[in-house]
Amino acid sequence: MGAVAVARAWPAGSWAFDGRKVMYAPVTSLVPAEGLRLEVEAAPAGEDKPRRLAVVIRRAAIVSVAALHRFISGQRDEEEYAYHALQCLDIVLKHRMAMADRSLPVARGVFFRGPGTRSLGGGAEVWLGYQQSLRPCQTGLALNVDMAATAVLEEKPLLELVADKVVTSHTGMTKAIRHLSRGSPFQETFEREGRQVSVADYLEAQYGVRLTNRDMPCVAVGNGTVLLPMELCRVAPRQRLMRLDEAQTSEIIKIAAQRPGDRLAAIDHAVNRQAAFPDDPTARAFGLSISSRTVEVGARVLPNPMLAYGSPGRYDPKGGGSWNLRDVRFLNGSSLPSWAVVCFANQRFAAEDLEAARGQHGPTFMAEFVDMLNKCGVTTPREFPPVVYPDRNATVYSAVTEAKARAQAAFGAPAALVLVVLPDTGAALYREVKQASDSMLGLPTQCIVSRKAGIGCPARGRPQYCANVAMKVNAKLGGCNTRLGDVERLPVLGARRPFMILGADVTHPRPGEGGPSIAAVVGSMDATATRYAARVTMQRGGQEIVAELKAMVKSLLLEFYGATRGMRPESLLFYRDGVSESQFLGGTVVDNDIAHPHDFSFYLNSHSGIQGTSKPAHYSVLVDENKFGADGMQLLTYHLCYLFCRCTRSISVCPPAQYAHLAAFRGRLMLRGEGGSDTASSASGGGGGTVEFMSINPRLQKAMFYV
């Protein structure tokens, strides 16, 4: 929400924003062909005297704003140049705030420390701001502005928080921390003028600084040889925190969530006060004028689908996009003839909840979970599964392997699933579990967190938690939770002919991490578009295009051929997540005012927000050879959003794309440093070492192991 209209079409040679005609000057007058050479003075932090620097600006290319004008007016022969101009204008509109001392620019966003700043705990705080993107649409150009939040390290003494960067109080220098010393400033020494001097004595002699803290170690900065006492260091300002723990993530979501009216007011404040787009001198210098008003667009409400369960056969989820599994059985319940539990939580507190039917507080977790599985239609043995409590020296692989053997011994059949109880949401243990199960053993695992499941602690909302886990288990074992009931109106599904729905996504390493990217493609394997097989590969880091798309789709088509006993799909529907408009061409139809001026695109709000404001997903249709049309494509995409197997809610992005997203992130867990594995392939990592990709075990190729 919060799209701001900024442009209308005028003849070539002029430009208009907010309905006013503006002439633009030739770009060649800004930077001559021979370039510009300027001399400037700059005083780096911590240095007394400024330095005189020579700055050379060379013309790299001439970007034609007229090409963007012609593109919006209907001419597509210069589309690539139009997007270049769009990117440049986007930079122009962000330039002033990106350079401001009070702001923190991050990608498309700008964040501020102000009244909305709140502590997240653990030395982090949240900064509120906005994100912007300039987009071509049917009515001209639109500046899309939305609220955003990011986590920043609190600027405080280093003794309160050891951070990645620090500012020294005695020199004002900003340095990056490499590691900690073994001793305090009074113990660490270095050679100076032929004798050993402690860090504390040197600072007192050189700067007149007398240290008092004899307990804390020094921090090594620069190349690792310079030692600084912690009591002289402060955390450098405006450092974005890339990784948050569970509590911090929960808190930032609460702070950033705003109701629609409040969010619109905040966007208006960002446009007219924080960024002050209408009064931006940089924008005016480029002939841009920004309107302060928001655009109102028409919308229509699509009918929600009817769902079909095993019982009831016809289920109406109503209009809220949320329902529950009370008195509901899965459409196709799976069988769980043999299973076991691996518990990494404290055995002393967890044993009763995993091994007994009743405890001191009533029914135990295992009793309620097994009861939920059977009520929903997942067939389980009468006996509870055996439980493995690994000792401290046991590897995760050995623990899961032991659970597999215990299941075979207890039930006389190969293990179909291992339930893994985690003590917390830590990523390291979860990664090891999935590497052992998804790659080494080819055995589905379902992880649960002891606190959330009420294992060894008071249970809150356990029935709903058990129901959510049951949905995942049924999907992993090949079952089907639900399907669309009324499919006659829908393209593909209503035609009763073989089809395949594909989804693709690529996940990249975090900024600064380096390493490869992971691509995933999923494909539906049944007539209800509920079961999806996946293919996951490693590719060059940062590459958005799926490098092995042809091979992955071919493999899924062969899988489909086997799963349907020799049928071939007559129609293919492909959902690709995360591609920007500048990375594709094609399309034929315009849907509404804020959609793409040429391409077949639409915004779909297919979910009800749990808190805050719901944000619609933007779909761009590149080609429609199946002749779905706008109404058919929108209705099909919306109804598919009710089939996500992990929850009883309609979701914001249709399941094929979301499953590909989950599979790609599961693939990222298969990356590890140098080592050996029979199922691994290797690539060069960003740090110079070898990154190993542990391939998904062939036994799981057909399973929805990634959910």
Side-chain angles (χ1 to χ4, degrees), residues 26 82-83 123 317 330 346 399 569 704:
Y83 275 106
F330 295 142
N346 191 311
M704 297 180 71

Side-chain angles (χ1 to χ4, degrees), residues 399-427:
V400 179
T401 301
E402 182 182 351
K404 178 182 176 182
R406 293 273 296 275
Q408 173 78 47
F411 300 109
L417 179 92
V418 171
L419 186 70
V420 179
V421 181
L422 303 176
D424 51 45
T425 57

Side-chain angles (χ1 to χ4, degrees), residues 120 124 150-152 241-249 252 510:
L120 296 175
T150 193
V152 178
L241 189 61
M242 300 299 294
R243 297 186 179 182
L244 304 179
D245 59 31
E246 183 183 8
Q248 291 171 332
T249 301
I252 198 172
R510 295 174 184 267

Side-chain angles (χ1 to χ4, degrees), residues 426-658:
L429 180 56
Y430 182 79
R431 176 188 294 267
E432 289 187 62
V433 169
K434 294 306 178 182
Q435 286 181 352
S437 62
D438 295 356
S439 181
M440 300 178 188
L441 297 172
L443 175 64
T445 52
Q446 177 59 53
C447 292
I448 59 175
V449 178
S450 58
R451 177 177 55 81
K452 293 182 177 180
I455 296 175
C457 62
R460 296 179 180 178
R462 185 186 279 167
Q464 184 61 49
Y465 184 85
C466 289
N468 290 340
V469 176
M471 287 189 286
K472 296 180 183 180
V473 168
N474 192 49
K476 289 179 179 181
L477 297 178
C480 174
N481 297 343
T482 187
R483 65 170 175 84
L484 296 175
D486 299 329
V487 298
E488 291 77 12
R489 298 173 295 170
L490 297 178
V492 174
L493 295 182
R496 303 297 182 183
R497 296 195 304 268
F499 67 90
M500 176 187 281
I501 302 181
L502 296 150
D505 194 17
V506 179
T507 176
H508 304 291
R510 295 174 184 267
E513 281 189 349
S517 293
I518 302 296
V521 181
V522 302
S524 62
M525 294 287 127
D526 61 356
T528 60
T530 55
R531 291 193 302 108
Y532 289 79
R535 299 294 183 265
V536 184
T537 62
M538 178 176 65
Q539 62 187 42
R540 177 172 55 84
Q543 179 177 328
E544 187 62 49
I545 295 174
V546 181
E548 300 296 327
L549 180 62
K550 183 177 180 180
M552 297 165 81
V553 171
K554 180 180 179 181
S555 178
L556 288 170
L557 288 171
L558 292 173
E559 192 77 64
F560 181 93
Y561 187 80
T564 58
R565 299 181 181 179
M567 301 183 81
R568 300 176 181 178
E570 297 181 20
S571 301
L572 295 176
L573 182 59
F574 188 92
Y575 287 92
R576 173 70 166 91
D577 189 22
V579 178
S580 65
E581 289 178 350
S582 60
Q583 292 177 288
F584 57 73
L585 302 175
T588 56
V589 182
V590 175
D591 186 66
N592 55 43
D593 292 344
I594 61 171
H596 195 277
H598 309 297
D599 292 345
F600 176 178
S601 69
F602 58 92
Y603 291 85
L604 177 63
N605 187 17
S606 56
H607 68 296
S608 59
I610 299 176
Q611 58 180 330
T613 305
S614 298
K615 295 175 63 176
H618 183 212
Y619 295 86
S620 294
V621 183
L622 303 189
V623 63
D624 184 16
E625 293 179 341
N626 290 299
K627 303 292 189 289
F628 291 166
D631 290 342
M633 182 65 73
Q634 292 167 11
L635 192 64
L636 172 64
T637 302
Y638 173 53
H639 283 198
L640 286 175
C641 291
Y642 281 75
L643 298 182
F644 190 53
C645 73
R646 289 175 29 139
C647 62
T648 51
R649 303 183 66 90
S650 59
I651 60 174
S652 60
V653 177
C654 68
Q658 189 64 19

Side-chain angles (χ1 to χ4, degrees), residues 55 143 207 240 262 322 353 402 443 472 516 538 544 656 671:
V55 179
L143 180 63
Y207 297 99
R240 188 178 179 222
D262 297 333
S322 177
D353 263 306
E402 182 182 351
L443 175 64
K472 296 180 183 180
M538 178 176 65
E544 187 62 49
L671 294 175

